[in-house]
């Protein structure tokens, strides 16, 4: 009987424990009746209020500027003067022809290999006078013979086919064929007549465009006014001015980072000539021996440069478009290898006088960069090293054109 009671007591104790586990523990009674229990902390929920201004905001972004008004500039297009660059001496058995290497009177010397008399090359050269000499028997060098009632006529053709200058795809003289005729009277002494070359001209109209706050303009010779005509002749100098409109910005310095010449407004089209590349290196004089150059910088927000007129080899059209990538940084930022205006004149020179930043310009001579599809990369923002300190700057592309390049006459 005692054992049964013990078992019942144990069972009742276990049942009580299970009930307490299911319904929660009983709080222990306060061991110190004189001390009150601690208060519960209630989280604070502050009310949000809308902040209001005493006066309404009136500031807004400035409007894009209106284009600069066109000035009425007194300008007269100078027509080219025929260059007396070819002379013919018809002798008893041979013809003697002398041609000035400055055949078109533009200062651009021709390559002797580009000029032949029929199929005959030059037999000599006067280096002091810069004259090429051609001599041939009257029946040689693909001459043609014709007769009139009173004369025998030997006709020679001076064929000029300019090749691209250096590694560039451009030429600065026109393909030409000059006819030389020797008249021999049947009953009198020999004589020679003047030459009559045949030329073809082209025409087009230029339109200048603005992009953001950057501009490119064709200028007259002293850079004081915009040039009202877009027409040039091979051998002329194209004066170009790049500007950035400052408005409410801190003082800015403008740079021409890269430029390409194309036959259309599409900077990725071919043929294309990257005459300015590699962060502000004017490569044309280095590639072709021209007089292209940056002018000395006089103000920070303008940059002026000269480009010798040219056209593409094998292309009859004399129309060009020039697309440049312009960049402006704060004038307080020093001129460096990514902010420069370098040109070649038997050495590299910088428009602002900081010549030691131009050494890497030689790295820009070569084939243009290509995108993954093998197409030329147009002028534009280049990938920069994000580890370097960021420079406050603005960038934009500007297309100038069409620009008309016509041919000069030579007699």
């Amino acid at each position: 009987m005692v054992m049964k009671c013990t078992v019942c007591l144990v069972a009742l104790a276990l049942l009580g424990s299970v009930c307490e586990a299911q319904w929660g523990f009983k709080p222990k009674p306060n061991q110190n009746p004189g001390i009150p229990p601690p208060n519960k902390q209630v989280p604070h929920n502050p009310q949000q209020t809308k902040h209001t201004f005493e006066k309404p905001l009136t500031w807004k972004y400035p409007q894009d500027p209106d284009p600069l008004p066109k000035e009425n500039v007194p300008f007269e297009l100078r027509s080219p003067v025929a260059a007396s660059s070819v002379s013919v001496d018809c002798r008893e058995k041979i013809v003697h022809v002398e041609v000035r290497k400055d055949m078109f009177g533009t200062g651009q010397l021709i390559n002797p290999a580009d000029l032949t008399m029929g199929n005959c090359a030059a037999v000599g050269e006067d280096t002091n006078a810069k004259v090429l000499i051609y001599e041939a028997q009257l029946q040689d060098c693909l001459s043609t013979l014709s007769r009139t009632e009173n004369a025998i006529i030997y006709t020679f053709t001076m064929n000029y086919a300019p090749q691209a200058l250096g590694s560039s795809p451009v030429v600065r003289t026109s393909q030409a064929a000059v006819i030389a005729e020797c008249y021999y009277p049947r009953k009198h002494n020999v004589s020679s007549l003047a030459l009559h070359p045949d030329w073809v001209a082209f025409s087009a109209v230029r339109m200048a465009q603005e992009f953001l706050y950057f501009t490119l303009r064709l200028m007259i010779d002293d850079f004081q006014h915009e040039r009202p005509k877009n027409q040039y002749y091979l051998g002329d100098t194209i004066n170009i001015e790049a500007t950035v409109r400052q408005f409410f910005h801190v003082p800015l310095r403008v740079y021409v980072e890269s430029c390409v010449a194309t036959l259309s407004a599409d900077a990725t089209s071919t043929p294309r000539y990257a005459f300015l590349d590699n962060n502000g290196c004017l490569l044309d004089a280095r590639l072709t021996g021209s007089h292209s150059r940056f002018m000395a910088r006089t103000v920070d927000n303008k940059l002026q440069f000269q480009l010798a007129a040219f056209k593409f080899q094998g292309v009859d059209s004399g129309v060009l478009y020039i697309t440049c990538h312009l960049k402006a940084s704060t004038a307080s930022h020093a001129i460096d290898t990514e902010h420069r205006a370098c040109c070649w004149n038997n050495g590299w020179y910088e428009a602002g006088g900081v010549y030691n930043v131009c050494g890497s310009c030689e790295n820009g001579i070569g084939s243009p960069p290509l995108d993954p599809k093998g197409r030329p990369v147009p002028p534009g923002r280049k990938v920069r090293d994000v580890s370097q300190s960021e420079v406050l700057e603005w960038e934009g592309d500007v297309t100038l054109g069409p620009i008309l390049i016509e041919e000069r006459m030579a007699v």
Side-chain angles (χ1 to χ4, degrees):
M1 188 66 179
V2 175
M3 183 177 297
K4 286 183 180 179
C5 290
T6 304
V7 170
C8 289
L9 290 174
V10 172
L12 288 173
L14 290 174
L15 182 60
S17 300
V18 170
C19 290
E20 288 180 3
Q22 183 174 358
W23 299 105
F25 292 101
K26 248 183 220 181
K28 292 184 179 181
N30 190 0
Q31 301 294 329
N32 299 311
I35 300 175
N39 294 327
K40 276 189 177 180
Q41 295 291 330
V42 180
H44 180 60
N45 241 346
Q47 294 295 322
Q48 293 185 353
T49 59
K50 182 178 180 181
H51 180 71
T52 59
F53 295 94
E54 295 180 1
K55 296 182 180 179
L57 295 176
T58 59
W59 184 89
K60 59 182 180 180
Y61 282 99
Q63 296 291 329
D64 284 349
D66 295 329
L68 291 173
K70 300 293 183 181
E71 300 181 20
N72 187 14
V73 179
F75 178 83
E76 182 179 355
L77 182 66
R78 294 192 295 267
S79 299
V81 178
S84 301
S85 55
V86 182
S87 62
V88 182
D89 182 12
C90 298
R91 300 175 183 174
E92 183 178 357
K93 295 182 179 180
I94 65 172
V95 60
H96 178 92
V97 180
E98 294 185 357
V99 182
R100 290 171 51 196
K101 294 186 71 175
D102 186 9
M103 183 176 176
F104 297 88
T106 63
Q108 183 75 38
L109 302 184
I110 66 174
N111 184 356
D114 295 342
L115 179 65
T116 59
M117 185 170 68
N119 59 350
C120 299
V123 298
E125 177 179 351
D126 186 339
T127 55
N128 293 329
K130 296 182 180 179
V131 170
L132 300 177
I133 300 172
Y134 296 80
E135 281 188 353
Q137 296 290 326
L138 295 177
Q139 298 83 8
D140 294 340
C141 300
L142 304 180
S143 66
T144 59
L145 173 64
S146 59
R147 294 182 177 87
T148 64
E149 182 179 354
N150 298 317
I152 297 175
I153 306 170
Y154 289 92
T155 303
F156 297 84
T157 303
M158 305 297 298
N159 295 309
Y160 178 62
Q163 300 300 310
L165 296 169
S167 59
S168 71
V170 305
V171 292
R172 287 199 165 86
T173 48
S174 306
Q175 185 172 354
V178 181
I179 304 301
E181 293 181 334
C182 286
Y183 283 67
Y184 292 90
R186 289 184 172 182
K187 298 180 181 179
H188 301 280
N189 295 328
V190 299
S191 65
S192 63
L193 297 180
L195 307 176
H196 302 283
D198 189 18
W199 305 89
V200 180
F202 304 91
S203 62
V205 178
R206 178 188 72 80
M207 293 183 298
Q209 294 181 348
E210 284 195 352
F211 184 82
L212 297 178
Y213 299 108
F214 294 103
T215 60
L216 271 183
R217 297 191 298 166
L218 297 177
M219 307 297 289
I220 61 176
D221 291 344
D222 61 1
F223 285 93
Q224 295 301 310
H225 301 282
E226 185 174 4
R227 196 176 195 267
K229 298 287 186 180
N230 70 309
Q231 180 181 347
Y232 295 87
Y233 294 95
L234 286 175
D236 284 351
T237 298
I238 304 174
N239 299 309
I240 301 176
E241 182 180 83
T243 60
V244 59
R245 303 277 294 276
Q246 295 188 221
F247 298 99
F248 306 113
H249 292 290
V250 297
L252 302 177
R253 184 183 296 121
V254 68
Y255 300 89
V256 183
E257 191 168 59
S258 59
C259 288
V260 295
T262 52
L263 297 176
S264 69
D266 181 6
T268 63
S269 62
T270 55
R272 66 196 300 271
Y273 176 38
F275 61 87
L276 200 159
D277 207 350
N278 195 19
N279 293 323
C281 298
L282 185 55
L283 305 174
D284 184 67
R286 184 73 173 89
L287 295 173
T288 68
S290 72
H291 57 271
S292 300
R293 59 171 181 155
F294 278 109
M295 309 300 289
R297 191 189 289 271
T298 56
V299 291
D300 286 329
N301 69 323
K302 291 183 181 180
L303 184 60
Q304 300 162 340
F305 63 98
Q306 294 181 324
L307 177 66
F310 64 88
K311 68 176 188 175
F312 286 98
Q313 181 188 19
V315 177
D316 293 332
S317 171
V319 176
L320 292 178
Y321 288 81
I322 294 177
T323 301
C324 294
H325 184 74
L326 305 186
K327 177 171 62 177
S329 65
T330 53
S332 59
H333 179 73
I335 297 174
D336 56 24
T337 55
E338 290 190 0
H339 305 80
R340 60 189 177 182
C342 299
C343 59
W344 174 265
N345 183 12
N346 295 322
W348 289 103
Y349 298 88
E350 209 278 330
V354 187
Y355 298 154
N356 60 349
V357 301
C358 297
S360 60
C361 283
E362 288 289 326
N363 301 335
I365 300 176
S367 301
L370 304 177
D371 64 12
K373 294 185 178 180
R375 298 171 301 186
V377 176
R381 184 185 294 272
K382 293 181 171 56
V383 177
R384 303 192 185 279
D385 184 1
V386 295
S387 65
Q388 303 297 322
S389 59
E390 191 67 18
V391 178
L392 186 63
E393 61 187 25
W394 294 261
E395 300 182 69
D397 293 336
V398 187
T399 299
L400 183 63
I403 300 172
L404 171 65
I405 310 296
E406 293 189 351
E407 301 175 343
R408 289 184 182 270
M409 298 179 60
V411 296

